Amino acid sequence: MSNAQHSLDGLVEALRRLPGVGQKSAQRMAYHLLQHDRDGARQLSRALGQAADHILHCQRCHTFTETPVCSICLDETRDASLLCVLESPADQAALERTGSYRGYYFVLMGRVSPLDGIGAQDIGVAQLLERAADGKVEEVILATSFTAEGEATAHVLSQALKARGLRATRLARGVPVGSELEYVDLGTIAHALVDRR
């Protein structure tokens, strides 16, 4: 095998590590970068190296940051009585973009998945319970996804928080804004009806 083929195979394998990228997509990306965008390939390489070397987890909320404590945790204008629990930094970024939440966060870095052998201890529940019991938090908002694993995670967290006398609420779910009922799935309609206010 030539050095060029070895390097190309290594690039394809590296790209396959991305979620949702299979063999053919990885090959297409690799060939595109090498054939049409060498500058883009170098920029991607530098950005990945920089991120991998400098991004850490916040000591307080576990989100991504380049400093020991992230800027949100350092922001004293936020509401310390609210703590929103999320599965990932991407979920936190989405919630921040809404501009509607001004409390603090705790990022689990995963969710309970018994089939994959991931339990509560693997996603930082002990750290969450410690964080939530700081004497300032009055409500813990469970904003995990509405998948089976997200629901299981919310249930486990809710029970653990309530056992310690902490108030836990669940992110509401329902019919999306701007949608027509005839096109919304039946499960969403059923939950919206039950959770009506």
Side-chain angles (χ1 to χ4, degrees):
M1 179 183 294
S2 71
N3 285 343
Q5 189 60 44
H6 180 71
S7 296
L8 183 59
D9 289 345
L11 176 57
V12 170
E13 283 307 307
L15 291 167
R16 284 189 63 199
R17 295 182 71 118
L18 295 169
V21 176
Q23 180 72 24
K24 289 204 182 274
S25 294
Q27 285 175 331
R28 217 172 13 259
M29 286 185 239
Y31 282 110
H32 170 78
L33 288 169
L34 295 174
Q35 186 174 356
H36 300 292
D37 195 5
R38 292 273 175 138
D39 287 340
R42 289 183 187 93
Q43 181 183 1
L44 179 62
S45 174
R46 285 190 301 274
L48 282 170
Q50 181 79 6
D53 291 342
H54 296 286
I55 294 179
L56 348 146
H57 291 284
C58 174
Q59 294 172 355
R60 191 156 186 237
C61 75
H62 296 170
T63 198
F64 291 142
T65 183
E66 289 192 39
T67 56
V69 178
C70 73
S71 60
I72 292 175
C73 286
L74 291 173
D75 183 351
E76 294 180 4
T77 66
R78 296 185 81 100
D79 185 347
S81 70
L82 297 174
L83 184 65
C84 184
V85 179
L86 302 150
E87 293 175 12
S88 72
D91 294 341
Q92 178 188 1
L95 194 56
E96 267 304 284
R97 282 193 303 273
T98 70
S100 62
Y101 178 73
R102 293 295 304 157
Y104 290 105
Y105 296 97
F106 189 90
V107 180
L108 294 170
M109 293 302 192
R111 56 186 166 205
V112 172
S113 181
L115 294 176
D116 297 321
I118 300 171
Q121 70 282 359
D122 300 312
I123 60 170
V125 173
Q127 296 93 329
L128 167 62
L129 295 174
E130 183 180 327
R131 170 71 179 85
D134 68 358
K136 297 176 185 172
V137 174
E138 296 173 13
E139 178 183 2
V140 179
I141 302 165
L142 303 175
T144 57
S145 63
F146 290 103
T147 62
E149 294 89 355
E151 292 283 7
T153 303
H155 177 75
V156 167
L157 296 178
S158 178
Q159 296 301 311
L161 290 161
K162 287 177 182 173
R164 286 163 179 75
L166 296 164
R167 180 175 174 231
T169 58
R170 182 76 167 109
L171 197 64
R173 59 184 159 197
V175 178
V177 173
S179 62
E180 296 181 31
L181 281 181
E182 69 179 296
Y183 300 113
V184 177
D185 70 276
L186 298 179
T188 299
I189 294 172
H191 283 296
L193 191 57
V194 169
D195 296 340
R196 70 188 183 278
R197 52 185 161 112

